[in-house]
């Protein structure tokens, strides 16, 4: 019974592609998470699988921040902090050695070949941003994002409806 389940899970992971732009689901390979931390502030994280670049994951966190601003009646936002919660890991495949021996009288000759032992390094991007939302563009000396422009631009860039 365990073999069919293991095979099915392996097939899912081997055929997976980049994380879809959607709310976070563990079995879906990631997505966005958000938590409201003040009346006009949110922490947004986009957890991606190993098939997505850090840049794309950061763009999708920015898109979610813009959507939150617009959905809550705000037109602009700034990024207060942007820690990187990405995770990396490695997996080394098991190694196997095949030995072929041939004996001629008192002598034995052989060959040995070792397969496997490759190490694969993977990264799961998870940019996290804290955003402060504004009803109008504030006169600040930091980057102020226009929520509508950010949402439109990133959706076009990644073909998101």
């Amino acid at each position: 019974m365990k073999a069919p389940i293991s095979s099915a899970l392996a097939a899912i992971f081997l055929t997976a592609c980049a994380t879809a732009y959607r709310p976070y689901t563990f079995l879906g390979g990631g997505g966005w998470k958000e938590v409201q931390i003040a009346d006009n502030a949110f922490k947004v994280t986009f957890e991606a699988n190993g098939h997505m670049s850090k840049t794309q994951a950061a763009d999708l966190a920015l898109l979610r921040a813009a959507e939150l601003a617009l959905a809550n009646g705000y037109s602009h936002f700034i990024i207060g902090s942007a820690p990187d919660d990405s995770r990396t890991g490695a997996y080394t495949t098991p190694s196997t050695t095949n030995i072929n021996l041939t004996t001629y009288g008192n002598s034995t000759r052989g060959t040995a070949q070792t397969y496997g032992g490759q190490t694969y390094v993977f990264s799961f991007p998870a940019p996290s941003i804290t955003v402060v939302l504004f009803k109008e563009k504030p006169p600040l000396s930091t980057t102020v994002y226009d929520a509508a422009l950010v949402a439109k631009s990133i959706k076009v860039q990644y073909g998101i409806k």
Side-chain angles (χ1 to χ4, degrees):
M1 185 66 173
K2 288 184 180 180
I5 293 171
S6 298
S7 297
L9 287 174
I12 289 170
F13 288 116
L14 290 174
T15 59
C17 38
T19 306
Y21 182 71
R22 63 171 177 241
Y24 176 83
T25 60
F26 177 76
L27 292 177
W32 76 71
K33 293 179 180 180
E34 63 202 42
V35 61
Q36 189 166 9
I37 56 177
D39 288 341
N40 68 329
F42 287 85
K43 178 182 177 189
V44 178
T45 303
F46 192 89
E47 291 196 19
N49 62 24
H51 298 282
M52 181 178 281
S53 70
K54 280 186 170 189
T55 300
Q56 185 176 356
D59 287 347
L60 296 181
L62 195 62
L63 171 58
R64 185 62 190 152
E67 289 178 338
L68 284 170
L70 295 170
N72 287 285
Y74 295 91
S75 62
H76 292 80
F77 65 94
I78 61 168
I79 296 175
S81 67
D84 186 358
D85 296 329
S86 299
R87 297 174 311 279
T88 59
Y91 173 74
T92 302
T93 61
S95 58
T96 304
T97 302
N98 292 331
I99 301 173
N100 295 313
L101 299 174
T102 306
T103 303
Y104 298 104
N106 286 341
S107 102
T108 301
R109 292 185 175 206
T111 60
Q113 288 188 326
T114 301
Y115 302 94
Q118 294 90 358
T119 299
Y120 298 94
V121 178
F122 52 88
S123 174
F124 294 98
S128 183
I129 57 176
T130 301
V131 294
V132 180
L133 313 177
F134 297 93
K135 298 277 184 187
E136 298 175 355
K137 185 175 181 179
L140 299 173
S141 62
T142 187
T143 302
V144 178
Y145 296 89
D146 179 316
L149 180 61
V150 167
K152 179 182 173 187
S153 298
I154 293 175
K155 284 179 178 182
V156 167
Q157 181 177 356
Y158 294 106
I160 299 169
K161 302 278 181 201

